[in-house]
Amino acid sequence: MTAHDKITPPRPLELARRHAPDGGGHRPFVVLLGPDYAGKSTVLAQLAEAMTRWRFLSVDDAHLAPEHALIGRLRREVVKDVAPHADAWSPEFFATLLQTAVVHLRDRLLDDDGVGRPAVVDSYYYKLLAKCRLAGVPEDPLLAWWRTFPQPSRVIYFDVTPETTWRRSRRGADLNLLEYYGERPEWDGFCRYQTDLDKALRDEIQGLPVTVVEEQARPEHVAAAVRQVLAHEFG
C-alpha cells in the first residue's frame, strides 16, 4: 500500500468541540502529534533536511539553538529529579517546569524569524499538557492558559499502536518515568499509559482540523505522507 493510501482523510474526532483554530496575527502552522515513540523526531529531521523553506520547531536538543540549551536541560531534570520523587513536589511544580518548554515553542512561533516561513511544530503544548493531566495536575489556570495559545491550521496525528512503540523503545529499555505507569518499565504499564496518553491527546485536539497518518513500515514513507499533507495545506 502506498503512502497516499495510508493517509486517512481529515475527519473530526469523536469528542465534543473544545476550541477552534485561533484567528490571531500569527502565521499558519502545522503540528505533528502522536504517542511516545511514534516517530515524530525522525520524520521531523527528514523534513527539515528536505524542506528548507519551512521552519521546524521542537524542544529536542537537535532543534534548539545554543542559547536555548537550558530548555533541554530542564526537561531532563524533570525526568531525573522530579518524576522519581513525586511525593516531594506538587503537581503544579511539575507543570511549571514543563511550562518552560511550552512557552519556548510559543515564543518561537510568534517570533516568525522575520522571513514569514510556515512552521511545523513537534507536539506543541498538547503532549506536555496531556502528560500533566496523566500526572495528576489539576485543571487550573496554568493549563487553561496554554489552551489560549495560537492554534494550528492542522494537526497531523501519527496513529501508532502500543505494540509498535514498545518495540521501538527496545521493549522498555529506553523508557523514562513519564512514559509508563508503575515502578519499572513493563509492557502492561506502558500499554495502559500510552493508551491513556493517546486518549488525552485526542481530547486536546478535538475541534481542530486533523489528518491521521496510519502506521507505516518505514519513516521515509511517513515523511512522504506528511509532505503530501503540507503541500495540500499550503501549496
Side-chain angles (χ1 to χ4, degrees):
M1 187 173 289
T2 67
H4 175 80
D5 294 329
K6 286 286 188 177
I7 303 175
T8 65
R11 63 178 185 263
L13 297 173
E14 293 79 7
L15 298 166
R17 184 184 184 92
R18 170 178 292 162
H19 49 218
D22 183 283
H26 67 280
R27 294 184 180 275
F29 64 99
V30 170
V31 170
L32 302 185
L33 192 62
D36 297 320
Y37 295 91
K40 298 184 308 302
S41 296
T42 300
V43 169
L44 198 74
Q46 293 185 5
L47 294 174
E49 184 175 350
M51 302 175 67
T52 56
R53 80 177 186 91
W54 286 74
R55 292 195 299 157
F56 295 90
L57 307 180
S58 172
V59 292
D60 287 348
D61 288 341
H63 293 274
L64 291 171
E67 62 269 26
H68 298 142
L70 172 65
I71 301 298
R73 294 199 301 272
L74 286 173
R75 292 177 66 225
R76 288 188 290 276
E77 293 301 322
V78 170
V79 172
K80 185 178 73 172
D81 290 337
V82 178
H85 309 288
D87 293 341
W89 311 96
S90 70
E92 291 85 354
F93 183 87
F94 170 80
T96 297
L97 287 182
L98 291 182
Q99 179 169 262
T100 58
V102 171
V103 174
H104 172 74
L105 288 175
R106 185 210 61 173
D107 290 349
R108 299 283 67 74
L109 272 174
L110 296 179
D111 179 58
D112 191 288
D113 84 355
V115 181
R117 294 181 294 167
V120 175
V121 185
D122 182 1
S123 299
Y124 198 25
Y125 70 79
Y126 303 124
K127 191 169 184 179
L128 292 178
L129 193 153
K131 285 182 177 283
C132 283
R133 290 173 56 189
L134 296 185
V137 177
E139 290 285 346
D140 63 8
L142 182 67
L143 302 189
W145 182 52
W146 298 3
R147 294 187 178 110
T148 70
F149 290 179
Q151 297 298 306
S153 60
R154 181 161 300 279
V155 174
I156 302 176
Y157 195 90
F158 291 16
D159 192 8
V160 184
T161 66
E163 288 80 6
T164 294
T165 55
W166 174 251
R167 186 173 65 252
R168 290 176 180 175
S169 77
R170 296 195 302 144
R171 301 188 179 280
D174 294 338
L175 296 180
N176 68 53
L177 289 171
L178 300 181
E179 296 172 339
Y180 61 91
Y181 292 133
E183 296 182 357
R184 60 186 60 85
E186 297 178 334
W187 161 247
D188 180 66
F190 175 79
C191 184
R192 288 189 295 108
Y193 185 93
Q194 295 302 319
T195 299
D196 288 349
L197 178 64
D198 176 74
K199 182 181 183 302
L201 290 172
R202 292 175 187 265
D203 185 15
E204 288 303 323
I205 60 175
Q206 60 182 319
L208 292 173
V210 176
T211 297
V212 177
V213 177
E214 305 290 351
E215 184 176 323
Q216 300 185 43
R218 300 179 63 86
E220 53 265 36
H221 296 163
V222 180
V226 172
R227 290 181 68 177
Q228 179 184 346
V229 177
L230 296 177
H232 182 268
E233 189 77 12
F234 293 100

